[in-house]
Amino acid sequence: MADEKCACGKPLHYSVLATRKVVEEAVSRLGPDVVVTGPDGSYSVQRHYIALHGLKTCELETLAEKGLIKKIS
């Protein structure tokens, strides 16, 4: 899907097509977001964002403040 965007705001920017296909299959089966729990609570995070940028639990609150992920509890 050419018009899909990463939570960072850019169009999906995979450098390896096979990785994009795997993540898109997961999105189709499991939905676009995953719940991640860290020391400060739980967050909804886009699967594409995790695949493209990685994720550190120590950065969850900052990412939520920036609006890249959503704090859910």
Side-chain angles (χ1 to χ4, degrees):
M1 295 178 194
D3 61 344
E4 275 190 277
K5 291 196 180 236
C6 178
C8 74
K10 294 180 183 177
L12 295 180
H13 44 100
Y14 289 95
S15 58
V16 178
L17 183 58
T19 302
R20 180 176 177 156
K21 287 183 178 184
V22 168
V23 177
E24 286 178 341
E25 289 173 7
V27 169
S28 292
R29 284 190 333 268
L30 305 169
D33 300 325
V34 62
V35 174
V36 176
T37 301
D40 298 321
S42 294
Y43 302 80
S44 179
V45 185
Q46 183 192 48
R47 290 179 197 281
H48 287 295
Y49 182 86
I50 295 171
L52 290 164
H53 298 274
L55 190 64
K56 296 179 182 176
T57 57
C58 64
E59 297 174 347
L60 291 170
E61 190 62 33
T62 300
L63 293 171
E65 289 171 1
K66 291 179 178 180
L68 297 175
I69 68 175
K70 182 179 176 185
K71 188 167 186 173
I72 55 176
S73 66

